[in-house]
Amino acid sequence: MPGSGRWNNATWILLLAIFHSCFSSYSEDQCSWRGSGLSQQQGSVEQISLHCSEGTLDWLYPKGALRLTLTPRLAPVAAAGPGGGGVTACVKPSEQFHGAQLYLERDGLLELLVGDRMEASPPPRVRCFSRTPGERLALFLQATPHQDISRRTASFRYELRGGGMARMALDSNAISREDACRPCNDTEILMAVCTSDFVVRGNIRSVEEDETLRAAVIKVSATRVFRQKYTLFTGSGRLASRGEVRTLLQCGVRPGPGSFLFTGRVHFGEAWLGCAPRYKDFQRTYSVAKAAQQIPCELPVD
């Protein structure tokens, strides 16, 4: 049909323009970004700035490079961390991370965090890094050359937390066994009760290994849920709530008798163990501190 070729070409140009505009923006809350390398020039660097404590980045058809600065609007206490140690950031690449390499840019130097994953290679691991107060860091994504970029997407989730607990929980490459598995002292236990994302009394049903995360998955029967920021432990009627808590595999957690107080943080939707004293030991610590009027917060202890 005369003119149909010109109409089809114009239609494709319009569709590509719409496609680029839809895939080259970040959400209204400026927590996440989703974009396409098809709209980038070869060798160009697109600047992105996100302002939340957690979010996602999806780079479809990577080409050129992205430079991402994370400037979350954290509360002063969270920004400083419990010990004034600044902010810990962690990135969790998707299992289908392809087509780019992810670097940490610090003081003008690049440190490789995640390489371009080959088809048969294992899923990339969570990587964490710290930022001291006043230090400026950025994430740099460099597209890797491929003849076919149609099936390549570089995606990851990020989290920023005050202090070093996220690094302790998630990045087993960065810490020693002694640091990761040291029992909490009385002061740390009392603070954990007040500041954790979950505080649960329960028993260990079983412990399984997650080799992908290098984590031990503790199956917990919760007899009392004091607090949970997210729905982690669920149950119905008189049945005990059930949930999972992860900790580093190197800590050697084993199932055993007795009741524990499980506390910790939620990272990327999963519960990670902080302090977990035996419940009778916690009761004694809490009673002594309460008698001395040194408890940082109230908890309805049995």
Side-chain angles (χ1 to χ4, degrees):
M1 201 166 120
S4 62
R6 289 193 299 274
W7 186 88
N8 285 337
N9 288 339
T11 303
W12 277 113
I13 292 172
L14 177 61
L15 288 175
L16 282 173
I18 295 172
F19 180 85
H20 289 165
S21 65
C22 290
F23 286 98
S24 187
S25 61
Y26 45 96
S27 62
E28 292 180 1
D29 56 10
Q30 297 188 358
C31 297
S32 301
W33 183 90
R34 183 177 176 86
S36 168
L38 294 177
S39 59
Q40 286 185 238
Q41 297 294 325
Q42 190 71 34
S44 64
V45 179
E46 182 166 351
Q47 302 288 334
I48 304 166
S49 182
L50 300 177
H51 305 288
C52 298
S53 59
E54 58 186 66
T56 60
L57 183 142
D58 299 301
W59 192 20
L60 285 69
Y61 319 120
K63 188 171 71 172
L66 302 178
R67 186 177 184 273
L68 170 64
T69 56
L70 300 174
T71 53
R73 300 182 180 96
L74 297 175
V77 174
V87 174
T88 294
C90 294
V91 293
K92 182 179 183 180
S94 68
E95 293 187 3
Q96 291 76 37
F97 188 96
H98 292 298
Q101 293 180 309
L102 176 62
Y103 296 87
L104 170 64
E105 179 186 319
R106 189 198 301 265
D107 297 329
L109 301 176
L110 296 179
E111 173 190 343
L112 181 64
L113 296 178
V114 182
D116 188 1
R117 180 169 172 259
M118 307 306 292
E119 295 294 338
S121 61
R125 302 184 187 279
V126 173
R127 295 297 306 274
C128 299
F129 52 90
S130 298
R131 186 191 72 184
T132 57
E135 185 178 22
R136 298 186 65 84
L137 300 176
L139 295 174
F140 189 82
L141 285 93
Q142 175 70 55
T144 51
H146 290 282
Q147 288 185 344
D148 179 15
I149 63 171
S150 61
R151 288 194 246 172
R152 304 192 183 276
T153 303
S155 299
F156 64 84
R157 297 168 65 184
Y158 72 87
E159 280 187 353
L160 293 95
R161 297 287 186 265
M165 291 307 297
R167 191 181 184 93
M168 295 278 287
L170 296 173
D171 195 347
S172 59
N173 293 324
I175 53 178
S176 67
R177 184 181 185 279
E178 289 73 18
D179 290 334
C181 309
R182 175 183 62 81
C184 296
N185 59 37
D186 290 350
T187 301
E188 290 168 334
I189 291 171
L190 293 173
M191 286 302 299
V193 167
C194 303
T195 61
S196 293
D197 292 336
F198 61 90
V199 181
V200 175
R201 179 184 179 181
N203 308 307
I204 300 176
R205 292 189 295 116
S206 62
V207 180
E208 300 177 359
E209 293 187 3
D210 185 332
E211 288 292 345
T212 301
L213 290 175
R214 283 190 244 174
V217 182
I218 307 169
K219 307 284 187 175
V220 176
S221 291
T223 55
R224 184 168 186 179
V225 178
F226 292 100
R227 183 175 70 253
Q228 56 179 341
K229 189 175 180 180
Y230 307 92
T231 305
L232 305 168
F233 297 86
T234 58
S236 59
R238 296 183 179 180
L239 297 176
S241 298
R242 294 193 170 190
E244 297 180 353
V245 181
R246 287 162 171 75
T247 189
L248 294 182
L249 192 61
Q250 64 205 65
C251 293
V253 175
R254 295 288 181 268
S259 180
F260 296 84
L261 186 72
F262 298 94
T263 69
R265 298 286 187 182
V266 175
H267 299 292
F268 300 114
E270 298 171 336
W272 284 82
L273 190 64
C275 298
R278 290 191 176 274
Y279 193 74
K280 63 180 181 180
D281 295 334
F282 165 71
Q283 284 178 307
R284 182 171 56 253
T285 298
Y286 184 85
S287 298
V288 170
K290 187 173 183 179
Q293 297 184 339
Q294 294 179 344
I295 54 172
C297 66
E298 293 274 354
L299 194 73
V301 179
D302 301 335

